[in-house]
């Protein structure tokens, strides 16, 4: 079974600076997708960024980018120019490219932005 | 555009009482639907998923059940709630076309006393 590990329960960063959240996963599959979701205090899960495993190029969405290291099974999220609204729980998630394609989540990292 | 609704938003129920949480999706057809639970301070765990009307797959044995009576309606139920059923319940949907991503509803906070 696939597993996702987020080794940083909490992180903090100064406003306008850059922070990187770590995620590793374990799988024997070659076809899969990786996601970062944000959960603000409202608790709704919001998609931040996604990465297809077959793509070598790292995904980027405005201030958010990933460092996808397929051989190392690592999928870190970099947030540039951190803003107060970035404060939230961040979850890394894995999804198989086969079957019903359920998401497997890590335990989350709580990100605090210091003004 | 697609929208997903969940209700109620908050629920407090006594142990042993029944449960019914509803999720509906608008603006899409034949979605895959998912129920997740998030215990306090933890990540999400998949409970059930459905690829079509009447088709339910259970991921973990538990006190809950799910049903999909209509294409865009997904219901989570229990006949008798346990204290351990407390948590935040999230419904998600996905259509198997690009961008092929699961999108989540606003969630229901369930407290069993």
């Amino acid at each position: 079974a696939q597993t996702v590990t987020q080794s940083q329960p909490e992180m903090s960063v100064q406003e306008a600076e850059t922070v990187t959240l770590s995620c590793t996963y374990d799988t024997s599959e070659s076809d899969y997708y990786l996601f970062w979701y944000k959960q603000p205090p409202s608790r709704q899960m919001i998609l931040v960024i996604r990465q297809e495993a077959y793509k070598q190029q790292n995904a980027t969405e405005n201030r958010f980018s990933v460092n996808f290291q397929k051989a190392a099974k690592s999928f870190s999220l970099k947030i540039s120019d951190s803003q107060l609204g970035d404060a939230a729980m961040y979850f890394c998630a894995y999804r198989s490219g086969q079957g019903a394609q359920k998401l497997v989540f890590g335990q989350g990292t709580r990100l605090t932005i210091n003004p | 555009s697609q929208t997903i609704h969940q209700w109620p938003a908050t629920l407090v129920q006594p142990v042993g009482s029944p449960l019914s949480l509803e999720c509906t999706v608008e603006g899409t057809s034949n979605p895959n639907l998912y129920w997740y639970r998030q215990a306090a301070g933890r990540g999400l765990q998949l409970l059930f998923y459905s690829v079509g009307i009447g088709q339910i797959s259970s991921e973990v044995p538990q006190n809950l059940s799910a049903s999909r009576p209509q294409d865009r309606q997904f219901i989570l139920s229990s006949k008798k709630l346990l204290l351990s059923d407390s948590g935040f319940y999230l419904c998600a949907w996905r259509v198997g076309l690009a961008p092929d991503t699961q999108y989540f509803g606003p969630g229901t906070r369930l407290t069993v006393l």
Side-chain angles (χ1 to χ4, degrees), chain A residues 4 9 11 16 21 25 27 30 35 46 49 52 83 96:
Chain A
V4 177
M11 292 282 285
L21 308 184
Y25 59 95
T27 185
S30 58
F35 303 83
I46 302 168
I49 199 166
E52 294 89 340
Q83 301 176 359
S96 170

Side-chain angles (χ1 to χ4, degrees), chain B:
Chain B
S1 62
Q2 298 85 3
T3 307
I4 182 168
H5 303 279
Q6 285 186 247
W7 61 87
T10 305
L11 190 60
V12 180
Q13 291 285 93
V15 170
S17 64
L19 173 74
S20 181
L21 303 182
E22 189 166 343
C23 169
T24 59
V25 182
E26 296 178 357
T28 187
S29 296
N30 196 30
N32 285 6
L33 296 172
Y34 305 82
W35 276 113
Y36 290 87
R37 177 169 62 198
Q38 185 179 28
R42 303 191 65 180
L44 278 70
Q45 180 186 38
L46 179 66
L47 302 176
F48 301 95
Y49 66 90
S50 172
V51 299
I53 295 175
Q55 301 179 61
I56 308 294
S57 296
S58 174
E59 285 295 301
V60 293
Q62 59 208 318
N63 185 43
L64 303 169
S65 62
S67 62
R68 186 169 176 176
Q70 301 180 41
D71 181 44
R72 290 172 287 180
Q73 184 184 32
F74 203 22
I75 297 173
L76 184 69
S77 304
S78 174
K79 292 182 179 178
K80 289 186 178 182
L81 283 169
L82 306 173
L83 287 174
S84 58
D85 292 324
S86 293
F88 191 63
Y89 289 82
L90 286 152
C91 180
W93 70 272
R94 172 189 153 263
V95 174
L97 298 172
D100 199 19
T101 298
Q102 284 188 28
Y103 296 96
F104 287 81
T108 295
R109 184 187 302 276
L110 172 65
T111 303
V112 182
L113 302 176

